[in-house]
Amino acid sequence: MANKLSSSEIAVQMSAVPHWSRTGDLIERTFTFGDFLASMRFVNRVAVEAERTQHHPDILVKYNRVTLGYSTHDAGGLTEKDFGAALAADAASVS
Amino acid sequence: MANKLSSSEIAVQMSAVPHWSRTGDLIERTFTFGDFLASMRFVNRVAVEAERTQHHPDILVKYNRVTLGYSTHDAGGLTEKDFGAALAADAASVS
């Protein structure tokens, strides 16, 4: 199981994902696309990665905007899994 | 364009979608599935219907739960399109 990160470890990880914001045990980013279908293509790429890693974000789709939220519930905080998933989502958003 | 429904028209329509709740100009339902993949299958069925009808819900996925919200923004309220989409989503959730 991934270990819960300390505040200083989180600060280091956050610097690698500048488009993400942290609220407590959650990191979030809203992505903007051209239309609903582009949003759905992104969501499906994220879903494949979520199943592969067994780490699932909360996903909110509002037409051309998709908000992802990651937290590691069973660790009770943020872990490396959350930041790895955030980096993967960033990459998937431009592919 | 679909016309905004009156309060009494909305009451009639709501009786046809007993699993949905209304908050102002929005109707919402949370669907529960077996796992994340089942949620995503449902979301993709809803997305196909949304594109076909050009009426797109807000979609929130939390692992095995999917919340859909419909409103007709360009009519400034609820219309027959929202209730038609709700019925279609109900049907898609059990297919």
Side-chain angles (χ1 to χ4, degrees):
Chain A
M1 197 179 90
N3 291 317
K4 181 176 169 174
L5 299 174
S6 68
S7 294
S8 58
E9 288 168 331
I10 289 170
V12 172
Q13 296 280 352
M14 285 300 294
S15 67
V17 289
H19 297 293
W20 292 70
S21 60
R22 177 192 174 198
T23 308
D25 291 342
L26 183 78
I27 54 171
E28 274 190 318
R29 178 179 173 185
T30 298
F31 300 80
T32 303
F33 300 97
D35 57 22
F36 179 73
L37 282 180
S39 290
M40 289 304 305
R41 282 193 294 272
F42 172 66
V43 164
N44 280 297
R45 287 195 293 269
V46 166
V48 167
E49 180 69 4
E51 277 295 299
R52 191 184 70 76
T53 59
Q54 283 299 299
H55 194 52
H56 303 84
D58 291 346
I59 304 169
L60 176 63
V61 182
K62 291 190 171 211
Y63 195 67
N64 68 325
R65 283 171 294 138
V66 179
T67 302
L68 300 183
Y70 285 100
S71 186
T72 306
H73 303 289
D74 56 6
L78 289 166
T79 68
E80 287 183 359
K81 291 178 75 172
D82 300 309
F83 292 98
L87 284 170
D90 283 351
S93 72
V94 292
S95 67
Chain B
M1 195 179 91
N3 291 317
K4 182 176 171 175
L5 298 174
S6 67
S7 294
S8 59
E9 287 168 331
I10 289 169
V12 171
Q13 296 278 352
M14 285 299 293
S15 67
V17 288
H19 297 291
W20 292 70
S21 60
R22 178 192 174 198
T23 308
D25 291 342
L26 183 78
I27 55 172
E28 274 191 317
R29 180 179 172 184
T30 298
F31 299 81
T32 303
F33 299 98
D35 57 21
F36 179 74
L37 282 180
S39 290
M40 289 305 304
R41 283 194 292 272
F42 172 65
V43 164
N44 280 299
R45 287 195 293 269
V46 167
V48 167
E49 180 69 5
E51 278 294 300
R52 191 185 69 77
T53 59
Q54 284 298 299
H55 194 53
H56 303 84
D58 289 348
I59 305 169
L60 176 63
V61 183
K62 291 190 171 211
Y63 195 67
N64 69 327
R65 283 171 294 138
V66 179
T67 302
L68 300 182
Y70 286 100
S71 187
T72 306
H73 303 289
D74 56 7
L78 289 165
T79 68
E80 286 183 0
K81 290 176 76 171
D82 299 309
F83 291 97
L87 284 169
D90 283 350
S93 72
V94 292
S95 68

